[in-house]
Every structure is written in C-alpha cells, then in structure tokens.
Amino acid sequence: MTDMILNVSLVPASEVLSRIVDSIVETVNAAKDVLIEKENFAELSTYLERIVPILTELSKKNMNASGSLKNAIDILIREIKVAKELVLDCRKRNKVYLLVNCRKIVKSLEQTTREISRALGLIPLASLDLSTGITEEISKLQDNMLRAEFKAAVAEEDIMEKIESGIRERTVDRSYANNLLVLIAEAVGIPRVHSALKKEFEEFKNEIEETKLNKDKAEAVQMDQIIALLGRADVASSPKEKEMKYFIKRNSLGSQPLEPLQSFYCPITGEVMVDPVETSSGQTFERSAIQKWFADGNTICPLTVTPLDISILRPNKTLRQSIEEWKDRNTMITIASMKTKLPSDDEQEVLHSLSQLKELCEERDLHREWVVLEDYIAILIKILATKNRDIRNHVLVILCILARDSNDSKEKIAHTENAIESIVKSLARRIGESKLAVALLLELSKSEVVRHYIGKAQGCILLLVTMTGQEDTQAAQDAKELLENLSFLDQNVVQMAKANYFRPLLLRLSSGPENVKMIMAMTLAEMELSDHNKLILFENGVLGPLIQLVTHDNVEAKIVAVKALRNLSTLPQISLLMVREGAAGSLLDLLDLHSTSSPSLREHVAATIMNLAISTAAEEASQTELSLFKSDKDLFRLFSLINLTGPDVQQSILRTFHAMCQTQSATDLRSKLRQFSAVHVLVQLCELENATVRANAVKLFCCLAADGDDGMLSEHVNQRCIETLVGIIKSSNDNEEITAAVGIIANLPMDQTQITQWLLDAGALQVIFRFLSDGNYTGSGRNHLTENAAGAIRRFTVTMNLEWQKRAAEAGIIPVLVQLLDSGTALTKRYAATSLTQFSESSVMLSKPIKKHGGLWCWSAPPETPCPVHMGICAVESSFCLLEADAVQPLVRVLGEPDIGACEASLQALLTLIDDQRLQNGSKVLAEANAIAAIIRLLGSPSTQLQEKSLNALERIFRLVEFKQQYGASAQIFLVDITQRGNSAMKSLAAKILGHLNVLHDQSSYF
C-alpha cells in the first residue's frame, strides 16, 4: 500500500484514508492466525478496528492536505505497515524463534500503538466538520492507545528468565535444556514428542542462520548463546553424534586422573573449590568459607592480612571453569575405568563400584550421559541376573537415574537385550525390589517408544495390576500411573482388563473412537468375569456406554454390545438396573425379525432378555414389585417369536417365560400366556428333536398347567401328547425335564378318565411309580420330582375305577405311599394321604366276608382273623385296607405337622375308617392309634376347613359313650372357644357336641 503512496499531496486525502482502512482490515484479519502473543495482537486489532469508522468518516470530508493532516497520514501509513509486517512474521516464522523474541515483539506492538495514537492527535479536528460523537471517539481512542501497555505472557517471561539465567550461569546440564525445551513447547503449542521437538529445533537453527545472513550481529550473538544452551537437549543431536564427540574427547585425555592444581584449593578449607569468589584483596576463596570468615567477625584477608570490603565478592568464573574442566576430565577417566570392576565375582567390590557409579550419576546429568555412552546399560542389565538382592537394587536405582530426563537413555535401555524382561522379573520379588522396579518402568514409560516394549513383556501387566493393591502406597501409585501410561495401546488395555484392572477399558468404552469401543465391548463379551468383577464394572458405569452402543447403526457394534450385556447381565444388580432403565424394550425391538437380519444378534439379545427375566423373578420373590415388560403387547411379541426363530433363540425365550412364571405374583402372566394359545404352541414344541428346546418347553408347560383351566388343558392334550410326555419321562437325561413332564401329568384334569387310560396304555403308571420306589434316584430336584410323582399317582387311585386301583395296588404303590407319609415333603404327604383316602374308600366293598364253617369244629381249619374295621378278610393289594398297610400311625403323625393341606388330607384318610356302619369299630382303632386326641388338637387349627372336618368327626365319635367319657373333657375348651369365635355353622356344630358332653342343654340357643 505505502509503495503506491509516495506523496500524499499528489493523491486525494480521502483515497489515501480509504487505502489505509483496507490495509487495517487486512492486518486485523491476519492477526487472528498469529502463533504467539495472541492476546496482545487481539488488543492491537481492537484499537485498529475502532480506527476504521473514524477514517471512513474522515474520507467523506473534503479535506485539504494541511501539514498536520499530512503528518498524521504519513505516520498511519508507516505504522500500519509495521504492524502488518509484524503480524505476517508472527504467522510464518519458527515458533521457538518467535518465543525467544517475545519481548521484542511486545515492545514493537506497544511502540506502534503509541505512534498511531500520536497520529490521531495530529488530525486537525477543529477545521473539520465532524460530529461530536466522532470527535469524542478520536479523543478517547487516542488516550487509550497512548496508555496501552503490552506485556509478554507470564510463561514466556519465565522462559526468558530461565534462558538468561542459563546463559549467565553457563548451565550445561542436559536436564535443564530438556526441561526448558518442554516449557517452550508448552508455551507455543508444540507437541512434546521427540520428533516434533527435534523438527522445531532444527527450524529454529535455520532461522538463526538467516538472521546471520541478514547481518543482524547483536541478534545473531544472542541466538548463538540460546542455541548453545538448548543444544544440550536430547533433541539437539542424535545419539551417534553425541557418541562421536564423547569418544574424541575421552580418547584425548589419557587413562590416569590428574592431581588438582594448587590454585584449585581454598586457602581456608584446604579443599578443591566449587564456587570460587574473589575478594577485594584479589585473593580467591570458596564462597561458603569466606562468608563464614566474615560472619565470624573477621574483616581482614586470611592470606594478605589486609582490610577487606566484605560487600565485594566477585565470582571467579575463569577459575571455576578450569576446576570444572579438571573434574570432568578425571570423572570421564574414572567412569571409563570402572567398567572392568562390575563383572567381578567379589560381591563387595561390585557393590562398592555400583555405589560410586550411583554417586557420579546423581551429581550431574553430564555424568549420566557419559555412563550411557560408555555402554554401562548392557553391563547393568546382565548384573540384574545376580542372586544378590542388594546388587539388583543398586542396579535398578542407577538405571532409573540414567533414564530420568533422557529419552535417548530410555530407548537405549529398552533396546538392550532382555532389559525390560529382567526389570519385569524384579516386579515379582520382595517389596523393596519391586518398588524400585516399578519406579524404573514408570520412568521408562514416559517414552512412547519404550511403552511398546514394556506392555509386551510377559506377565508385566498382571504383576503391575497386582501391585496396585500393595500396602506400600508409593509402589501402588507408581503401578497405577504406569498402567495409565501403558493404556495407550488397545492390546494393553485388554490385558489389563483380563487382569481385573478395568479403568482404562471403561474410559475407552465411554469416550474412545467407535472401533475402539467395539474392541472394548468385545473384550467384555468374551471374558470370564466373576460376579465381583461384574459388580466393579457395574459400579463404574459400564452399562451406559454399552446400552448406547446397542443403538448404533452398525450391526457388528450392536452384536458386541449385546454380547457384553449378556455376559454382565448374569449379575442380578446389573440386570435389575437394565430393567429399571427400560432396556428390555430396546432389546425386544432388536429381537424383532424386521429390525435385523442377524441371527447372531437375535441369539445374544434373547439370552440377555432371559438373564433379565431370571433376575426380575428373583427380585419379585423378595417382594419388590418390578416388571420386565411394560405391556401385554410386548409379552405377545416375544412369545410369538418362538415359532419364527432358531433353537438358540427359542430356548432363551422359553427360559425367559419360565422364569417369569415361577413367582407367586405370576398368576396373571400365566393366564395371559394361556390366552395367547401358549399351551398349544408348547404341546407342539414338546415333540421337537432338539432336546434343549423341548426341555424348556416342557418346563414352561408345567408352569402353565399348575393353575390352568381344566377345559383348556383337555382341549390341547390328546393321546399323542400323553405318549410324548411319557416318552420324555422314559428317555430324557434331563432330571428337570422329567420332573416337569411328571408335573404336567399331575396337573391334568382328574375327572378326564380318557387321559388316565391313555397314560396307562403308555405305561405311565410303572414309569412314574419308579420315581417313588427307587431309592437310588438322587439329585438336587429329588423332592420336587417325588412331589410331582405322588401327585400324578393320585389319578390312578381314584375310587370310581376299581380296575385302576387294583393295577396300582398290585404294582406295590400302597406301602410306598405309607412310607412317604414319614419321609416326604409336606406336599408329598398331602398327595400320598389323598391316594390312601381313595384306596380306603373302596376297602369296604373289597373286604371278603368270613366263611361260616360247617361240621365238627375239631375237623375244621382255624378261623381267619377279621379286619377290626371292615369285619372281613382284608389285604393290602386286594382290599387296600389302611390297617393292613400299617398306614394309621403314619397318618396320625401327619396330623401333628404344621402343613394344613397335609393334615387335612391325612384326616380325610382316617375318617374313612368311621364311615357309615364302621363308627364303633373305626373309633376304637383311632383311639388305639391316639388319633382322637390328635383330632381334638386340630380344633385349634387356624384353618376353618380343618376345624370343620374335625368337628364333624368328633360329633360322630362322641355319640359313643366310651369315647365321650374318655376324650370329652380335653375337647371341651376347644369347643367352647369355637362357640364364641367360629362361624355360625361351626358354632352350631360345636354346641351340638357340647350337648353330647352334657355341657349345654339341648334347648340352648346355640342350636
């Protein structure tokens, strides 16, 4: 712009101002992309943007180029040009170069801002017809720009002070240079990786070469000093370059250390000086020694005895440099000569040499660099194989010191044969050694290159995870930090998860890229997780990311997420949370045939829903209301898929409904399933060849048959179904399937004689009886199978069919039923007593009359003993007599048990002995078995039905005087209580008995 405006007087002022505005706009836009001093450039841009409307307004006026206006325009042209060039420089030049020139840049910004302010002050406002607003804005802007102060950022100033201090103190420490370069990288936004730092440093050196070509000598000298300081950093030269320089110098020194010069000794301490200072007398002393001399009140020179100005202590830099060079020479020779001592068989000598080496490494990073260049690392790694723990500990400490602040050393350790493996072995040793080993590995892991080696070392990650639980907090913390460093690789994260360290996996699962999320989900899907680990994952938020992944458009992502959920959902806490968050509905949508064509996905979805159902059923059993599905529509959708999917999905769906139907509150669900024609579907599935699907179908069928409508069951159960069920009982190897099949038979309508005949024709009686009589049959479901078998046997003992009863009796069922009264569960006892009742009801017609003998008694056979109740000849198999079967006492014992159903069934069986004309004889038998006393106790039962049965029995028994007299008194208290608390029918019956006992008058109002 300014090249085109050589003489303002030749171009109209308005046009010049317009061009200045254009240049300002360009400068402001360019300033948005500067690499350094962004805030300062933003402040300048703000001022420039405020100038634009002022210059635009002035360009509209007819102005003569007066002297002051011409000067103002000239300044604006010049300073805008300076600002623009500075902006362009700060956009394209090397970042390190810009940072070390930050003060210069800031000074230039401030100077330009003030010059522009001066230009605004030269505009002849009085001679121009400007609005009051514009005039005030010019005045305000001029004042703001004049007062503006630009400063480098605090971080930049801190870096510049460190650079100046390093140059001033002639700092040659590598760590100082490394740290300084890291600070520079952070300040200007350079990645801290080795390659990026090296590239930036090389560009910085090239910038300096250009500066020298431009013959800016002062700047060139300053940059050379900065290069010398930063040149100590690892990125400044390659390991090969360092090695070459070192051996050229070391080979020039000889092999023997030199004695110190006399001038190196402090006259006061007699020791070689570290920080020599010169006094006003011209003599040199150790700083700390002469300061103590002055502190003790001395004011004369210890050597010349002349008065001293105690305020004058000048660093003797030349002498200090000579001492340091002497020390470096001797140290270099010492380090080179110690290598031969380390492989010694003398453990004490080795320990001494290692201690000396450790001290040298701790003194200066330059010593550490020499140790590495002398190839000590390989020697130290070999020594790690020694059996001496102290030697190993010394080696680990030295290696850690060498690795500190040097990526080159870290990489050299990693590249040494068996280095990482040897260090990892120390992780498994005693806490002191393992603590040193993990600290070393942590230091090494700060190099991205070395991290790859550490993660690959066999057993490393497992040992580190184990260490996270150490009582030593520092070792545990180092192990955790090292694991975090190693988690940059997905394969390491997977190994950590397999070692039960899940934090990195969960982090990637929730915030990693999609492909990484899938890897993490697959890891969870395929791992064998303990319930404890599942709980840890659950508590750390594993569900959210997985459920989110389920909604992904990618089918593979859905599959791995669902597989992981399937694995986790076997833990009830996780399943229940999934149910509460409505996951079942989302999973059901995935199971829909229209939503996915992936059989694998449907298989895992169905299995996950099954796990949710099992947990929900368990939760409902604890009386906590929780519903897996929100609507009947969802239930129907799921059940309708049974006939449309493969066997794996089928069995999961069947198990889902089986779990849901198990709870006491599932009556409504079972009813709905029956309405869905579930029984019809299950009957068909029971015929499948796939044993697993068939078994689950049988189990669900058993649930639905337990409280099903007799008419509905009769509608779907035909002879083929019966034959199928009996075939399952005969051939299945699944005890639960057998139990369920027997349970179905037990729950089929008892009044359907056709069903019983089909069962007999199929050989069901012998098969089912086998489970009651075979004492060799054992298993966790033994009791349940016995209950179902006892329930099924009832249909073969019904009183209406003597032929069935005889077949059952001949099979030996009655003695087994009697045994079950003592050994069975409460339900088994109830069923056994029911069958015995049915048998006993037929006894009266089957008992054979006693034949009368003719002729002389002396020639006749001995008379047969009649049954005390039936007064004929009874037998177990022919007349089913309870007395012959020794069933009375077991039945009486059941009367004393807490189960109401078993008591009621046993009482009913006993009462068959006093039916009709058998009252007198039967009562005697009951009395002898102590049954009447047990019946009286049942008057206090909480069951109204049991009380009524007992009252009816006692009303008949107490008609007989002998029993009224023997038991009346013991029954009285129960009877009186019933007259006060029972229902009207029971009150009347109790009062009637009390009348038998002469406690109440026959005309009592109770009657």
Side-chain angles (χ1 to χ4, degrees), residues 476-537:
Q477 182 58 40
D478 285 350
K480 289 177 183 177
E481 191 174 339
L482 177 51
L483 286 168
E484 291 302 313
N485 290 348
L486 297 180
S487 65
F488 77 106
L489 269 182
D490 292 338
Q491 63 192 40
N492 289 348
V493 173
V494 171
Q495 281 192 57
M496 291 175 201
K498 290 179 179 179
N500 301 336
Y501 187 77
F502 300 107
R503 186 177 180 278
L505 180 144
L506 290 170
L507 187 62
R508 275 165 173 66
L509 183 64
S510 61
S511 58
E514 295 304 320
N515 63 318
V516 173
K517 288 181 178 179
M518 288 179 63
I519 292 172
M520 299 303 114
M522 180 59 72
T523 301
L524 290 175
E526 295 177 348
M527 281 179 63
E528 289 290 336
L529 293 166
S530 67
D531 284 352
H532 175 70
N533 287 334
K534 290 176 185 178
L535 187 59
I536 290 174
L537 288 163

Side-chain angles (χ1 to χ4, degrees), residues 725-740:
L725 291 173
V726 175
I728 289 170
I729 297 169
K730 290 178 178 179
S731 61
S732 176
N733 294 319
D734 184 337
N735 291 337
E736 290 185 0
E737 181 184 20
I738 294 171
T739 300

Side-chain angles (χ1 to χ4, degrees), residues 284-296:
T284 298
F285 304 91
E286 176 65 44
R287 181 187 293 275
S288 60
I290 194 65
Q291 286 177 339
K292 185 177 185 303
W293 176 267
F294 292 152
D296 291 342

